[in-house]
Amino acid sequence: MHQSERLKSVAILASGIAHEIKNPLTPLKTFSEYLPQRMNDQDFLKKFSPIITNEIARIDKLVHELLDFAKPSPAMLSPTNITHILDNTLDFLSNDFIKIRSTSLKIIKPAMI
């Protein structure tokens, strides 16, 4: 991938993340602006308290998802028949690829165990 394509992908990702964080920040900002004047207004507190809790949980979930995304995945190792992989590779290389590059390749298959 070229540098400009990578930067474009990062910009799109950053834009999406910013949008997802900004959405829940709007009610948090509104609540914090009105709270000093309406601290004793039980209806106000009753209305906004669950909203604030949900929006904070939403941001928290997003951050956890980003952290999970950023973590390298553990290697998933499993037994593999290397002979099959080598045969497929050799089939691929035995075609015009080797002829074009004027390359010779000698493979000696080990005896099956």
Side-chain angles (χ1 to χ4, degrees):
M1 189 183 282
H2 296 288
Q3 183 72 13
S4 62
E5 291 174 356
R6 284 188 209 156
L7 290 174
K8 185 177 179 181
S9 296
V10 169
I12 291 169
L13 179 64
S15 174
I17 291 168
H19 179 74
E20 288 300 316
I21 292 173
K22 189 166 176 50
N23 283 342
L25 285 178
T26 301
L28 295 173
K29 183 178 182 226
T30 302
F31 181 76
S32 67
E33 288 172 351
Y34 285 106
L35 184 60
Q37 302 96 8
R38 302 186 74 179
M39 195 172 294
N40 295 325
D41 182 345
Q42 291 303 310
D43 289 335
F44 173 80
L45 295 175
K46 205 181 249 187
K47 178 181 177 183
F48 271 96
S49 290
I51 293 171
I52 298 307
T53 302
N54 289 339
E55 297 306 315
I56 291 171
R58 194 169 153 194
I59 294 172
D60 186 55
K61 180 180 179 224
L62 176 64
V63 169
H64 283 290
E65 287 174 354
L66 286 170
L67 291 172
D68 288 344
F69 177 75
K71 282 185 208 171
S73 299
M76 300 293 286
L77 303 177
S78 63
T80 303
N81 182 349
I82 189 102
T83 304
H84 179 70
I85 295 171
L86 290 174
D87 284 341
N88 287 340
T89 304
L90 291 174
D91 286 343
F92 171 74
L93 293 176
S94 68
N95 292 326
D96 293 333
F97 181 76
I98 290 177
K99 293 174 189 169
I100 292 170
R101 292 182 156 254
S102 301
T103 303
S104 62
L105 182 63
K106 183 177 181 182
I107 301 294
I108 301 171
K109 288 187 181 182
M112 296 302 286
I113 297 175

